[in-house]
Amino acid sequence: MILRSIAFLLLPLSVLSAAAQGQWADSEPMVDARLVSDREAVAPGETFHVGLHQDITPGWHTYWRNPGDSGEPTRIALDLPEGWQSGEIVWPAPKPYPLGPLTNYGYSDAVTLPIPVHVPADAPPGPVRIEAEATWLVCEEICIPEEGTFALELEVGEGRVDREGARLVEVALERAPAPAPDGLQAGLARVGADLVLSLAGARFARGDDIRDLAFFPHEGGVIDHAAPQRAAYDDAGAALFLTPGFLVGDRVDAVHGGVVTAEFRENGRWVRRAFTILPEPGVRHVEAAPSAAGALQGPPPAGGLGLAQAIVFALIGGLLLNLMPCVFPILSMKALNLVHKRGAEAARARELGLVFAGGVISTFLALGIALVAARALGLPDLWGFQLQVPAVVAALALLMFLIGLNFLGAFHIGSSLQGIGGAVDHNTRAGSFLTGVLAVFVAAPCLAPFMAGALTFAMAQPPAIALVIFACLGLGLAAPFVLVSFNPRILNLLPRPGPWMVRFKQVLAFPMFAVAIWLVWVLSVQTGASGVAWVLVAGLGAGFAVWALQAGGLSGRAAGLAGAVLAAAALAMTARLEPVAAAAPGGDFEPWSPARVAELQAEGRPVFVDFTAAWCVTCQVNKIGTLADGDVRAAFAEHRFALLRADFTNRDPVIADTLKSHGSAGVPMYLVYPDDGGPAEKLPPVLTETIVLDAIARASRQGREP
């Protein structure tokens, strides 16, 4: 029934997806492009403009020189007569285009990209031909790479204006940023968690004559493109508070040029202006600070998913999380929870189901609050962060080991610990609640389908909305168990309580030990042998404490306290360990870096990138399953794929920013770059042989040939 319900929910989305793919495959080009010139005839020695004009399908956009979080700028290669010289593209000021958690910079409707061309003074009179090859990426919810070859016939002689071409070029030049106003002092400095762009000068000073101030850096990685930009003004000028990107460390020590845009009141009407600036690094010229309300400007809040759609995705994602490999570590706890409900009264079973849901939802909310706080502090806010902390991994390994011993009946130290796993005899509310807590903490770091979209939406929203999404994820994860708790017919399908439950509980101890082994392995990847040694010491201390406490008496309690202190101290030592360098990926994979991807694409090779982590169970399942499949490996070799692996087991800001730039809230993430240098295709988190083989075919020139 549950599977049918999921299929029912997925059906309309599948139809929409198929419809979108069909539109892509069958439609005409989304950009009608042509080459234009502001001259019909050119005079020797003069400079004129040749430009690529794009008429863009409504709802779609092409890209600026810095495309933002994704995309590719338009590229134009001119073939000029001998002796003629061309300059750089004059880029009109861009506009932001939010898509989900991303913000891109570019153009919609129509744009002309002019290029200045200089005619040599000794150019002979007569006809000349100018040719151009251009490539561009045009995007809506999907992106389509397009290209064209163009030509212009001009005369060399007495200069003569091409009215239509001149009009288009003139509009483009008017939209292009002007040099900074005389006397403007610009600075870019790190102030706490913010990056402050200061603009000192009368043009930007306090008053009612400026609004919608925004900054578009020439380079990606200088700022978080999707984050709000907060403006403040005083008599000296304006200050724009930005969220720093991965290129900016604790201080700004390089020049990061860009374009500032704003609307200025001129002759009673608002006019948009743009200026090119080269702010001094590490300097703040204006001390104005935003008000408490925070004048949010610049790129608007992320769009793409609406709140209602994100809530539906969160519910489905949480529901599907029950079917993901990530849930393996907590199968024992869930199984015991179900079995014990069989032996409870109907009202009691419903109560325990709701308490379990409370544990799940409250833990999702706690993790959501932690992510929101990390975002506010400028730290990476990606899903699964809790298992990037070695002390947390060590503590969970120790807890799983103790739960396993408890299942075997090795000790009984109190109802709270016994309750973990769903025991129904004493203090079962606490047991059900803690089962929900552990279910989320251990099993949730990986991503389920639909969950990634909901998470990325949540991380771009104000805290209150973000927490609504996290609560819905918890509701989806807990829903099947709450449903069982409220349905006596399902409970009646389970065997009646009896001695078999004791043996069943003992058997389920061994999956808990397996989870403990897995967590110790994760710790070894993060911290090396030192981490393993300390978690074993923690196990020794905890085991001694359990034994001593069961002995009873004052001496037993004192010895138990000493063992507990030893265990706590050993766990604290794991928090002090430095992360070990990422081990070589092994096999055919080599370490990932953006520069290595660019280098391989320049060589014309397709690239497959595996963003993974040791604590991500889905990543490991894909690694030893689909990615190790013989047909998949053979296809990689046949098409000369370069295989790269990005290890996110420990914190890595470059990987974190790359995940966010591709709209992923965590790992796994798989990118396939085609051999023609085009943008990467992102694969779903759960791989199958068919998915990977099809992606390989699409990315290779050989595979694309009919």
Side-chain angles (χ1 to χ4, degrees):
M1 177 63 74
I2 292 175
L3 290 176
R4 284 205 299 271
S5 299
I6 294 172
F8 177 77
L9 290 170
L10 294 180
L11 180 60
L13 296 168
S14 301
V15 171
L16 290 174
S17 175
Q21 296 298 323
Q23 179 190 11
W24 179 7
D26 300 335
S27 63
E28 296 294 322
M30 294 297 150
V31 173
D32 181 10
R34 64 184 188 277
L35 200 61
V36 299
S37 168
D38 56 3
R39 293 286 191 276
E40 289 182 347
V42 295
E46 80 164 325
T47 297
F48 70 108
H49 290 89
V50 172
L52 181 74
H53 178 76
Q54 297 176 325
D55 286 313
I56 306 167
T57 300
W60 295 68
H61 62 269
T62 57
Y63 291 91
W64 189 51
R65 55 180 294 180
N66 170 15
D69 286 320
S70 63
E72 286 287 332
T74 298
R75 304 184 192 280
I76 308 169
L78 293 180
D79 185 4
L80 300 171
E82 185 175 354
W84 294 39
Q85 295 180 334
S86 63
E88 301 293 330
I89 296 175
V90 180
W91 297 92
K95 291 183 178 179
Y97 294 90
L99 178 64
L102 310 179
T103 292
N104 299 323
Y105 300 152
Y107 314 101
S108 56
D109 299 326
V111 66
T112 302
L113 304 177
I115 300 175
V117 176
H118 180 71
V119 185
D122 58 353
V128 295
R129 181 180 175 86
I130 296 177
E131 296 182 348
E133 292 185 357
T135 61
W136 59 88
L137 189 67
V138 56
C139 297
E140 187 199 33
E141 292 183 355
I142 61 174
C143 293
I144 302 175
E146 295 183 350
E147 60 185 7
T149 301
F150 311 92
L152 275 176
E153 301 288 346
L154 301 177
E155 285 284 334
V156 176
E158 184 176 352
R160 191 167 61 250
V161 172
D162 181 317
R163 291 186 178 179
E164 175 62 16
R167 184 184 64 80
L168 294 174
V169 170
E170 182 179 356
V171 170
L173 296 179
E174 287 179 353
R175 291 176 55 190
D182 291 340
L184 177 70
Q185 291 182 299
L188 190 66
R190 186 71 187 258
V191 180
D194 294 317
L195 189 64
V196 178
L197 174 68
S198 53
L199 303 165
R203 191 74 157 129
F204 295 90
R206 184 197 303 274
D208 299 326
D209 297 332
I210 180 173
R211 68 182 187 186
D212 294 343
L213 180 65
F215 178 56
F216 299 87
H218 286 155
E219 307 167 83
V222 176
I223 64 172
D224 182 342
H225 304 112
Q229 300 184 4
R230 297 170 296 158
Y233 305 90
D234 64 15
D235 292 337
L240 199 57
F241 287 74
L242 312 162
T243 300
F246 65 85
L247 285 182
V248 178
D250 294 335
R251 64 178 183 177
V252 180
D253 53 9
V255 176
H256 298 295
V259 172
V260 289
T261 65
E263 289 192 359
F264 298 91
R265 190 193 301 273
E266 297 178 0
N267 300 320
R269 64 188 184 95
W270 291 101
V271 180
R272 188 175 189 250
R273 302 290 185 193
F275 302 98
T276 298
I277 60 169
L278 294 172
E280 293 180 69
V283 175
R284 182 178 181 181
H285 294 290
V286 178
E287 296 299 324
S291 65
L296 302 183
Q297 299 191 13
L305 286 183
L307 176 59
Q309 190 178 8
I311 288 175
V312 172
F313 275 31
L315 290 171
I316 298 175
L319 191 62
L320 292 180
L321 196 58
N322 287 285
L323 306 176
M324 297 293 290
C326 299
V327 86
F328 291 166
I330 58 163
L331 283 179
S332 294
M333 290 182 286
K334 288 195 170 188
L336 271 184
N337 203 295
L338 282 175
V339 167
H340 286 148
K341 284 182 175 61
R342 173 66 175 87
E345 297 293 333
R348 186 66 169 168
R350 290 194 294 270
E351 179 188 9
L352 294 178
L354 292 175
V355 171
F356 171 81
V360 170
I361 294 172
S362 60
T363 308
F364 262 107
L365 287 174
L367 293 176
I369 291 171
L371 286 171
V372 170
R375 182 178 63 190
L377 295 173
L379 300 174
D381 53 344
L382 290 172
W383 196 236
F385 68 96
Q386 66 268 34
L387 292 186
Q388 289 183 323
V389 181
V392 172
V393 176
L396 284 173
L398 181 62
L399 180 59
M400 295 300 166
F401 175 66
L402 292 175
I403 291 175
L405 291 179
N406 180 253
F407 282 5
L408 288 176
F411 66 91
H412 302 278
I413 61 172
S415 56
S416 295
L417 188 57
Q418 291 174 31
I420 298 173
V424 294
D425 293 333
H426 303 289
N427 201 11
T428 52
R429 293 174 184 167
S432 291
F433 186 86
L434 288 173
T435 301
V437 171
L438 286 174
V440 176
F441 218 77
V442 177
C446 293
L447 298 173
F450 295 96
M451 185 177 168
L455 278 173
T456 49
F457 173 86
M459 291 173 186
Q461 301 303 310
I465 294 179
L467 294 182
V468 168
I469 302 301
F470 282 103
C472 290
L473 282 166
L475 188 59
L477 177 62
F481 293 89
V482 175
L483 180 64
V484 170
S485 302
F486 275 73
N487 194 327
R489 288 179 297 180
I490 297 177
L491 288 176
N492 288 337
L493 296 177
L494 299 173
R496 292 185 175 280
W500 69 271
M501 292 180 61
V502 176
R503 183 61 56 89
F504 183 63
K505 182 177 179 181
Q506 292 172 347
V507 169
L508 291 182
F510 296 96
M512 304 308 294
F513 293 142
V515 175
I517 293 172
W518 166 64
L519 289 167
V520 171
W521 173 73
V522 171
L523 188 65
S524 72
V525 175
Q526 293 175 319
T527 61
S530 298
V532 175
W534 282 116
V535 77
L536 292 177
V537 171
L540 175 67
F544 179 78
V546 167
W547 172 79
L549 289 171
Q550 289 194 109
L554 181 60
S555 59
R557 289 194 290 273
L561 178 61
V565 170
L566 175 61
L571 291 178
M573 288 303 298
T574 62
R576 299 170 60 88
L577 297 174
E578 293 292 330
V580 297
D588 298 330
F589 283 81
E590 60 177 296
W592 167 88
S593 72
R596 183 58 178 152
V597 172
E599 181 181 340
L600 289 166
Q601 282 201 291
E603 296 173 1
R605 293 188 62 186
V607 183
F608 179 88
V609 186
D610 173 13
F611 291 82
T612 184
W615 38 260
C616 169
V617 179
T618 303
C619 302
Q620 306 309 318
V621 171
N622 285 334
K623 188 182 299 181
I624 63 176
T626 301
L627 296 182
D629 177 78
D631 292 340
V632 171
R633 306 292 291 184
F636 278 141
E638 179 185 353
H639 296 283
R640 299 182 58 251
F641 258 79
L643 306 178
L644 307 183
R645 183 161 283 153
D647 190 345
F648 199 46
T649 302
N650 290 313
R651 293 174 181 169
D652 187 314
V654 178
I655 294 178
D657 283 323
T658 303
L659 291 171
K660 292 181 70 174
S661 70
H662 287 276
S664 283
V667 291
M669 182 178 81
Y670 304 97
L671 297 180
V672 181
Y673 292 86
D675 57 7
D676 60 2
E681 177 186 1
K682 182 176 149 184
L683 304 185
V686 179
L687 298 178
T688 66
E689 295 173 22
T690 301
I691 289 173
V692 179
L693 291 174
D694 289 347
I696 291 173
R698 288 191 295 271
S700 63
R701 189 172 292 106
Q702 179 183 346
R704 292 193 297 271
E705 291 175 351

